[in-house]
Amino acid sequence: EMDGWSLAEEIRNRMRWKQLPMLALSSLQNEADMKRALHSGFDRYVPKFDRESFLCSVAELLDRTLKNRQVGGAEAVRP
């Protein structure tokens, strides 16, 4: 069985999915989990209960992904 951290690492290790924007949505709100999520390959870590932050993160990642595709996909999606 695979957890979210392992899934993120697996996705980042595959060339086809390397640029896929990933957002960790968690009910845990501590520094250690945020660092673990980012280290695992997630682009953002957002607490479940912070709806505004979640929506802003999704909009930003989608915007960056669309801009990246328009310039040929050569740039990374991650900040």
Side-chain angles (χ1 to χ4, degrees):
E1 192 169 306
M2 186 179 289
D3 62 15
W5 315 120
S6 301
L7 176 62
E9 290 171 353
E10 183 69 27
I11 288 170
R12 288 294 180 227
N13 288 328
R14 295 180 185 227
M15 285 302 287
R16 180 178 178 167
W17 300 106
K18 209 165 193 71
Q19 300 301 319
L20 179 71
M22 294 190 301
L23 180 69
L25 185 62
S26 176
S27 61
L28 306 173
Q29 296 184 26
N30 63 53
E31 189 76 20
D33 284 324
M34 183 183 76
K35 286 181 181 179
R36 184 175 180 196
L38 298 176
H39 180 74
S40 296
F42 285 99
D43 295 292
R44 296 282 188 282
Y45 179 88
V46 180
K48 277 184 188 178
F49 307 108
D50 188 349
R51 183 173 186 229
E52 184 176 337
S53 180
F54 170 71
L55 293 174
C56 287
S57 292
V58 169
E60 181 183 323
L61 291 172
L62 287 173
D63 184 54
R64 249 198 274 161
T65 301
L66 291 174
K67 285 179 183 176
N68 187 38
R69 285 185 178 187
Q70 290 172 351
V71 295
E75 299 174 22
V77 173
R78 303 176 93 194

